[in-house]
Structures are given as C-alpha cells and as structure tokens.
Amino acid sequence: MNNNYYNPQNNQYYQQQNAQYIMMQRQIAYAKKQQRSELVKVGFVLGGAIILYLFLQVFWASMMNTLGLSDLYNNSTMFKYAFNIVAVDLLAMFPAFGIAALILKRNFTSEFFPAKKVGKLKATAWVFLGMGFTILANYFVSFMMTFVKNVLGYELTQNEFGTSNDLLTCIVMVAATVFAPAIFEEFAFRCCALGALKKYGKGFAVFMVSIIFGLVHGNVIQFVFAFLVGLILAYITVQTDNVIIAMVIHALNNGRSAVNDIVTTATDEKTANIVAVVIMIILGVLAVVSLVYLLITKSFKAEKKIKSLYDNNFATKLACMIPGLIVPFGILIALTKQYITKI
C-alpha cells in the first residue's frame, strides 16, 4: 500500500507551522529593533548626563569667579577640596545622573539602590578582593605611564590639589577624596547607570557602565584606571546585588592616596612610600585569601540564563550605545591634551 498520497490535512498543518515560524521571526526582528532603539536612547541619555556633569562643573567654577573666590581657590588647598565636594559631587554629578535615572526609570528591573544582605564575612572577602584588583589596576596604569614616557617620549600628568598642612585641611581632604566620591560616584554609576543597563544583560551593563565611569574622569590616565576599577565595582555590585560593598571598596581605594598624602606631610616621602608598600602587601595577601574563600563558597557562580532569541548580540548593543558617547569621548580627548607633555 502506497502512503505517499496527497493529504489536505498534512498540507494545512505544514502551512500553519510555517505561518507560525514566520510570525515568530517577525516578532524576534521587531523585538530586536525595539531593543536597539532603546539602547540608542540610553546611550544619548547617559552621554548627556556626562556632558551635563562637565557643564555644571564649568558653570559652578564660573560662579566662583563671579563671586570673587578664584584667589581663595588658588591659594587654599582646603577650599579646593571643599569646592570639589559641593560643586563637583553634590551640585554636578548628583543632579546629572539623577535626571538620567528619572528619564530611564522604566528600564530599572530591580531595586534602584541594591542593598541585599550578603553576610559580614563574605562582604569583607568581596571588599578585599576588590582592593586587590584596584592595586593591579594601579600597577597597570603605572606601567602604561612609564611606557609612554620611555618609549614614546611623552609624560602624562594629573591634577594636583596641593598638600594638607593642618588638621582641618586633612579632614576636608579625606571627606573630598574618600567619602564623597564613594557615595556620589557609586550613586551615579552603580545605581543610576548600572540599574538602567542591567535589563540588556549583566555583562554588557558591567562593561558599559565602566566605560561611562572612565569618561567622567577627564583624562586618558584616569579613564584607563577608572575603567578597570569600574569593572570590578560593577561586577561585585551585580554579583552581590549590594552597592554598599562597592562604596566601601571605592572609599578604601581612595583612602590609600589620602593616607599617602597625610604621611608625606607628617613625615617625608620615603616614609610614605614604605607605608604604601606595607599597605599594598597586606591588601595583596588579604585579596588572595579572599579569592580562595570566595572560590570555596562558590560565590562567583552566576545564574544560568538561556540567551533570549529577542536579545541582540553584545557587539550590536555596543554599537547602539556609541553614538550617544561620541561627544563625551571627544571631550575626553580634548581635555587629555593639557596633561600630555613632550619630553
């Protein structure tokens, strides 16, 4: 008996399957297109936040000049640090990225301020691991600066605020370099920016928010360091769902520079260098111990997530973000020129 005969019911079934497949492909294409449009918008909003942040700094600096405070700023280290807290962190970064978060509030898929309980021991381990990574990033940037100087013949410099010669100046300096950045920068990047990007993939969000973190630092040296440190801060925030840990790492990392300045002022540069080396050795040992502990407790284990058919690939998502960041990159390059000196 021959079964290869025409069956209208079979033909109708295959037509329905084909129609469903075509419909699904259209839905996937539409969803991907929508995601690309969203990412272009996110790129321009976050790029706009960077531009607004830089503009507000210039605005408050001009206001200071208008009020006749420029001489005080140039002659007082304490006033420089105080101005940095108020004009840069409170009145520039906070509103710029706060507005961005409000514009992108529909993007947030979890708590705006992630503060999940991690446990004291595990949180401490994450802190020391993060500090170990910041030390590695610092060595990498130092190597980069040495290479540029010895091989390419250019010296890269950074802004210096001056020394803290009295107790009150030291207190203000610590507040400006340790606590204010840890609070306001983590609010801006690991709460506002990271929260708006996580819906597009945690790995993508960690990478992009680190680029944005680097762009606000104004020169290529700090961009590289901030990008590398931003990776570990964003990764830990995503992995633990707790931004407080990132704040502590940020504060301790900046605190190493503050300690170096204070010891240099109180004693001499040689003693400060010895103290810095001792601190780095201790932190390095604690970082290794913390890494072992976190590996044993399987703290790096990520949730297994099946890739969605409606999600664009990493390169496409990155390409969608780039247009909104072109101007901030241009500003970074323009600002970097004043920190490069031909030897």
Side-chain angles (χ1 to χ4, degrees):
M1 182 177 178
N2 186 7
N3 292 322
N4 296 324
Y5 61 91
Y6 174 74
N7 189 329
Q9 291 182 340
N10 286 343
N11 187 51
Q12 185 178 10
Y13 171 77
Y14 289 126
Q15 286 179 346
Q16 288 176 347
Q17 289 293 100
N18 188 52
Q20 288 176 0
Y21 175 77
I22 293 172
M23 180 66 71
M24 186 179 73
Q25 290 299 107
R26 288 176 178 174
Q27 289 174 345
I28 291 171
Y30 178 77
K32 286 185 174 182
K33 183 179 178 181
Q34 287 293 103
Q35 187 185 70
R36 291 195 295 270
S37 298
E38 285 182 17
L39 282 166
V40 171
K41 175 186 174 183
V42 173
F44 276 103
V45 171
L46 293 177
I50 296 172
I51 295 169
L52 179 58
Y53 164 67
L54 297 173
F55 168 78
L56 287 172
Q57 288 188 63
V58 174
F59 174 78
W60 294 120
S62 65
M63 286 295 293
M64 178 183 64
N65 293 332
T66 302
L67 294 172
L69 299 174
S70 56
D71 289 339
L72 179 60
Y73 180 87
N74 293 325
N75 298 320
S76 172
T77 301
M78 183 179 70
F79 186 80
K80 285 182 181 178
Y81 283 118
F83 179 82
N84 200 67
I85 295 173
V86 177
V88 177
D89 294 322
L90 181 61
L91 297 179
M93 183 167 288
F94 183 79
F97 285 89
I99 291 170
L102 287 174
I103 294 172
L104 300 173
K105 62 182 179 181
R106 291 185 178 180
N107 276 33
F108 286 81
T109 56
S110 57
E111 294 292 329
F112 173 76
F113 187 88
K116 182 181 177 181
K117 290 184 179 180
V118 178
K120 292 181 180 179
L121 184 58
K122 188 168 287 189
T124 302
W126 280 116
V127 167
F128 285 128
L129 180 67
M131 288 303 298
F133 192 91
T134 64
I135 291 172
L136 291 176
N138 190 65
Y139 274 116
F140 177 81
V141 172
S142 296
F143 171 79
M144 182 188 75
M145 292 174 68
T146 302
F147 175 83
V148 171
K149 181 178 180 180
N150 296 336
V151 178
L152 303 180
Y154 288 93
E155 188 170 15
L156 305 176
T157 60
Q158 300 183 63
N159 277 332
E160 297 291 340
F161 272 50
T163 57
S164 306
N165 297 315
D166 58 83
L167 180 60
L168 184 58
T169 301
C170 283
I171 293 172
V172 177
M173 182 267 289
V174 170
T177 61
V178 178
F179 296 109
I183 294 170
F184 289 102
E185 290 184 13
E186 292 312 305
F187 162 80
F189 302 105
R190 261 61 70 176
C191 289
C192 296
L194 187 64
L197 287 165
K198 274 196 294 188
K199 69 175 288 189
Y200 305 109
K202 291 180 178 179
F204 175 75
V206 167
F207 181 80
M208 282 309 310
V209 80
S210 301
I211 288 180
I212 294 165
F213 184 49
L215 283 173
V216 302
H217 283 78
N219 67 71
V220 69
I221 309 168
Q222 291 181 324
F223 172 84
V224 175
F225 182 72
F227 170 74
L228 294 173
V229 172
L231 288 174
I232 191 65
L233 293 176
Y235 172 77
I236 291 175
T237 302
V238 166
Q239 193 71 10
T240 63
D241 199 23
N242 188 311
V243 73
I244 297 172
I245 296 173
M247 287 182 173
V248 174
I249 296 169
H250 198 144
L252 289 176
N253 177 60
N254 290 8
R256 288 195 301 116
S257 298
V259 168
N260 186 267
D261 289 344
I262 292 171
V263 175
T264 301
T265 302
T267 56
D268 53 62
E269 190 173 344
K270 183 179 178 181
T271 303
N273 289 335
I274 294 172
V275 171
V277 170
V278 171
I279 290 174
M280 281 194 290
I281 291 172
I282 293 172
L283 288 174
V285 172
L286 290 172
V288 173
V289 173
S290 297
L291 176 61
V292 173
Y293 169 76
L294 292 169
L295 286 170
I296 291 172
T297 56
K298 298 180 179 180
S299 301
F300 296 101
K301 189 176 181 180
E303 265 182 57
K304 288 186 178 180
K305 189 176 179 181
I306 300 173
K307 181 174 172 58
S308 173
L309 294 172
Y310 302 92
D311 191 30
N312 289 283
N313 60 44
F314 188 97
T316 300
K317 288 187 281 191
L318 178 61
C320 292
M321 291 283 293
I322 286 175
L325 300 177
I326 289 176
V327 173
F329 266 112
I331 294 173
L332 176 75
I333 293 169
L335 291 174
T336 298
K337 290 181 179 179
Q338 63 183 308
Y339 298 103
I340 298 177
T341 305
K342 179 69 175 177
I343 299 174

